[in-house]
Amino acid sequence: MAARRTAAAGSGGDAESSPHDAFVSLDELMPWSVRPLRTGRAWVSGPDPVALRARWERLAGADAAEQERLFAPTRSRTPHTPVAALPGRPAGTARFARDPGPCPDPVRILHGPYDEQWLLPDHRLIDAARPELWRVADGQQLFAVEHSSAPEDAGPALSVTALLPDGHSPAGRPGRIRPLHRRPGGTEPNLAPGLLELLRGRLGGSGTEPDAFTPETVLAWFLAAARPSPTGALVPLPADAEVWSAGVALGRELLRLQSRGARGGERPRLPGGRRPYVRAALPARPAELSYDAEEEALIVGAGRISPVPAAAWEFTVGGVRVLELWFGRRAAAAAGRGPDGAVADGLDAVGARGWPREWTSELLELITVLALLDGTTGPREELRAALDAGPLIGPGELRAAGVLPVPPSARRPASVLGHQEEGPEGQFALL
């Protein structure tokens, strides 16, 4: 992982003594970050929006004692807790026990890098919903999520999504959430002040494309080049324009795959003849998942999907096989069990309706995404080798240019209110 320092005088590289000194912490480059969501109760999120609505109706219609039990109270939330509305959401602010109101439409969220699930967006039900994220979540926003791990662990240091992420890895470890923009409408990038100008001056030229140095291209570079560490992602910044261009192109492809073509991008598709199809219908409640390597087939209970590349089946993050984890959560939900497969107590068992057709479509797309991501292994290794050979723009140059250290204001949320927000019991929030 370490960069081998070969920078000559005038190259812009730093002659640091430690290998990691040539890298820059993502915390310095994207200074505003938010902690992961903490729901406090499993039943407010899951893979099936129909089940979430059924849970809401059960809870809202229960008598006081049963509602208290089903709610699963915590120190932060009970049916009697007064809270402000989530920014941009129409859910009520009266105490839930007194006036639940109508069920809010479930919203799509990302759990880990590859699992798209649903959440009931009601602040009265969520211990820590991180309202600052909801204020800037719109059609122009992208969220980067760090995945802290040891360098030898398999998996990305960073993932990017257009959905609201919960900030957890497949193994359940928390990671910082870093929005690309500090304000709605894609304005005020969450980048160290002066970073864009420095990169444009060091790596740009007369033939540089107009969009070569934008917040989106810098995020693409981070996605392609970031490396994991126990304390968060580390980013090597190249002093070579060709390396920069190659990394940005790779990062754009990774972003397209991870975001499933969001924001006008092309949805992931494998070449003809390699696209997975359902060869035998999936049962209503499949309990087991296995892989037939000889036939390149995914066996889902009595169902069968092929062709499924071995790389998609073996794709792991943090030691967890992605397809197995994805399936396990849905098999549990289909059977009315908890997310971990244990016998459900309370609302987790409400709304189980077997295996919806939508899950099969999502499974086919996930197989496609994992297979295409595995296909980027070669370019990622080439980029890594180029960065290890240097030269790099190191922290010393960033300090000399005034990019580092970042001002304390860059680490705080921007003031983004264009209208008043409703506080507890219908009062206006004071912010």
Side-chain angles (χ1 to χ4, degrees), residues 29-200:
L29 300 175
M30 295 186 78
W32 176 41
S33 67
V34 180
R35 288 178 295 172
L37 276 63
R38 190 179 76 251
T39 62
R41 48 202 52 81
W43 61 263
V44 299
S45 64
D48 186 5
V50 175
L52 297 186
R53 290 182 181 276
R55 293 170 186 175
W56 171 283
E57 298 300 335
R58 169 74 181 277
L59 181 68
D63 61 38
E66 179 68 356
Q67 187 177 89
E68 185 81 15
R69 184 187 73 85
L70 292 174
F71 191 92
T74 60
R75 292 178 60 185
S76 298
R77 292 291 186 271
T78 75
H80 308 280
T81 305
V83 295
L86 281 175
R89 309 305 308 179
T93 59
R95 288 170 171 81
F96 191 92
R98 181 163 59 83
D99 182 15
C103 179
D105 291 332
V107 299
R108 203 70 153 143
I109 64 169
L110 189 70
H111 180 67
Y114 308 113
D115 194 347
E116 295 186 355
Q117 298 202 14
W118 297 89
L119 173 72
L120 286 170
D122 190 316
H123 210 178
R124 298 172 297 179
L125 309 180
I126 305 171
D127 280 11
R130 314 303 180 197
E132 58 270 41
L133 291 179
W134 296 78
R135 290 192 184 100
V136 299
D138 60 16
Q140 304 301 312
Q141 186 65 269
L142 291 169
F143 297 98
V145 183
E146 283 187 88
H147 303 290
S148 298
S149 62
E152 64 271 13
D153 287 349
L158 192 68
S159 62
V160 175
T161 177
L163 300 176
L164 186 75
D166 68 6
H168 293 274
S169 74
R173 290 189 292 267
R176 304 294 293 192
I177 302 170
R178 301 182 186 274
L180 177 58
H181 301 288
R182 292 167 50 81
R183 299 179 186 274
T187 58
E188 191 175 333
N190 180 26
L191 297 174
L195 177 64
L196 276 174
E197 291 75 12
L198 181 141
L199 293 173
R200 187 179 292 113

Side-chain angles (χ1 to χ4, degrees), residues 337-387:
R337 292 179 173 269
D340 59 357
V343 176
D345 177 25
L347 292 178
D348 280 323
V350 174
R353 59 184 182 122
W355 186 279
R357 181 179 302 175
E358 295 85 357
W359 289 357
T360 301
S361 299
E362 293 173 17
L363 177 55
L364 294 174
E365 183 170 65
L366 179 59
I367 292 168
T368 299
V369 167
L370 298 181
L372 291 173
L373 283 172
D374 182 76
T376 66
T377 300
R380 285 189 284 114
E381 291 177 349
E382 291 176 7
L383 178 65
R384 187 186 186 96
L387 290 169

Side-chain angles (χ1 to χ4, degrees), residues 139-369:
Q140 304 301 312
Q141 186 65 269
L142 291 169
F143 297 98
V145 183
E146 283 187 88
H147 303 290
S148 298
S149 62
E152 64 271 13
D153 287 349
L158 192 68
S159 62
V160 175
T161 177
L163 300 176
L164 186 75
D166 68 6
H168 293 274
S169 74
R173 290 189 292 267
R176 304 294 293 192
I177 302 170
R178 301 182 186 274
L180 177 58
H181 301 288
R182 292 167 50 81
R183 299 179 186 274
T187 58
E188 191 175 333
N190 180 26
L191 297 174
L195 177 64
L196 276 174
E197 291 75 12
L198 181 141
L199 293 173
R200 187 179 292 113
R202 291 284 278 108
L203 302 174
S206 58
T208 303
E209 297 180 4
D211 64 347
F213 299 95
T214 65
E216 288 76 12
T217 56
V218 174
L219 180 62
W221 173 266
F222 294 165
L223 185 58
R227 304 190 186 183
S229 83
T231 58
L234 300 175
V235 180
L237 296 174
D240 185 291
E242 291 186 4
V243 175
W244 169 265
S245 297
V248 167
L250 172 60
R252 283 173 168 163
E253 175 64 5
L254 293 172
L255 197 158
R256 182 184 73 87
L257 296 176
Q258 290 190 10
S259 65
R260 318 285 176 95
R263 296 181 54 180
E266 181 182 355
R267 295 195 73 87
R269 296 184 67 184
L270 285 165
R274 296 301 299 164
R275 295 172 190 162
Y277 288 96
V278 176
R279 310 297 179 175
L282 276 60
R285 287 178 172 80
E288 296 181 352
L289 183 74
S290 61
Y291 183 68
D292 185 334
E294 185 175 346
E295 298 292 331
E296 285 194 312
L298 192 67
I299 313 301
V300 187
R304 191 179 187 90
I305 296 174
S306 69
V308 175
W313 170 249
E314 296 293 346
F315 200 102
T316 60
V317 174
V320 179
R321 186 174 281 158
V322 171
L323 282 177
E324 285 187 321
L325 182 62
W326 185 96
F327 169 80
R329 289 171 177 155
R330 283 152 185 81
R337 292 179 173 269
D340 59 357
V343 176
D345 177 25
L347 292 178
D348 280 323
V350 174
R353 59 184 182 122
W355 186 279
R357 181 179 302 175
E358 295 85 357
W359 289 357
T360 301
S361 299
E362 293 173 17
L363 177 55
L364 294 174
E365 183 170 65
L366 179 59
I367 292 168
T368 299
V369 167

